[in-house]
Amino acid sequence: MSWTDERVEILKKMWGEGQSASVIAKELGGVTRNAVIGKVHRLGLSNRSSGGTKAPAADKATAKAAPKPKAAAKPKPAPKKAAEPAPKPADAPAAEAKPVSPARKAIIPAGQPLPPQPSANEISPEALAKVSEVEKDAKRLNLMELTEKTCKWPVGDPATDDFWFCGLPVQQGKPYCEAHVGVAFQPMSSRRDRKR
DNA sequence: CCCTGATTCGC
DNA sequence: GCGAATCAGG
């Protein structure tokens, strides 16, 4: 596969959306995440705000200059954080309109598969405490503001006006942020597991 | 060990 | 230009 204009477009879009290289690669098909990353760099759009890696890169080369003599200076000024084309300001939630290219399948299921409230049962007091703490500075997103990378942990009563979603950065793979992942997947405490 | 992006370098 | 190999880090 080669980088056709179309594919590059998808790449740009997804990368801009904050999708990880592996996901993009999977979507595009025929390429590895390395290829995607390589392309991203070649295109000039590399650093995103955050994600999985930092972008300090100041003296790494020095540290690993032993095995492989890499003569490379890293001109990485990154002076100011300019305002990007602001992909989705307010009314373009996760499931916005997509040209339905050869890629793109399912980002947000629908709006229904909401996480189950974890009746505070046998959950670590610590985990709960952490959640409470986190909810303090949660982003309080509404259903339509959720994206692939916002914690979808519901807070409050859906029938009330006081209902929102955590919205903090999700844990890799999971639909929730770290704190909520903690209380979400940790069940199995009451039910003594029988045999194994 | 899983994942992430970053970089290098032979092609 | 491309991307596997490698690196660095969460």
Side-chain angles (χ1 to χ4, degrees):
Chain A
M1 286 293 242
S2 57
W3 286 106
T4 62
D5 194 51
E6 221 176 303
R7 292 164 65 79
V8 171
E9 212 180 312
I10 297 173
L11 166 61
K12 285 181 182 174
K13 185 165 194 299
M14 293 184 75
W15 185 262
E17 280 176 21
Q19 293 289 0
S20 67
S22 61
V23 171
I24 297 174
K26 208 182 70 176
E27 275 290 337
L28 290 171
V31 290
T32 63
R33 77 182 190 89
N34 285 314
V36 171
I37 292 175
K39 185 59 179 177
V40 164
H41 282 214
R42 260 170 262 128
L43 286 174
L45 33 83
S46 51
N47 41 358
R48 250 179 307 190
S49 43
S50 60
T53 306
K54 278 61 192 297
D59 52 317
K60 292 181 183 176
T62 316
K64 62 172 180 178
K68 291 195 170 190
K70 298 169 183 175
K74 307 171 112 185
K76 216 166 185 196
K80 56 290 182 106
K81 61 250 315 279
E84 325 179 322
K88 38 189 168 182
D91 56 315
E96 76 288 67
K98 295 190 189 305
V100 187
S101 27
R104 197 87 302 192
K105 290 174 184 171
I107 295 298
I108 285 284
Q112 304 318 307
L114 299 180
Q117 277 294 3
S119 50
N121 274 336
E122 314 271 325
I123 305 179
S124 308
E126 304 151 16
L128 287 177
K130 192 171 184 179
V131 169
S132 306
E133 200 174 305
V134 168
E135 290 181 358
K136 192 159 67 304
D137 44 67
K139 294 166 73 174
R140 303 206 171 203
L141 303 178
N142 62 44
L143 186 57
M144 296 174 315
E145 293 174 321
L146 293 174
T147 72
E148 306 78 61
K149 51 185 199 299
T150 58
C151 178
K152 302 168 189 60
W153 189 270
V155 179
D157 191 329
T160 311
D161 197 27
D162 184 43
F163 179 67
W164 39 276
F165 292 91
C166 174
L168 293 174
V170 297
Q171 192 69 340
Q172 96 179 150
K174 312 311 197 312
Y176 314 120
C177 65
E178 185 173 10
H180 287 133
V181 163
V183 302
F185 309 79
Q186 185 204 78
M188 303 339 274
S189 27
S190 22
R191 244 23 168 219
R192 223 72 244 178
D193 52 283
R194 27 340 234 195
K195 285 284 127 76
R196 209 176 344 157

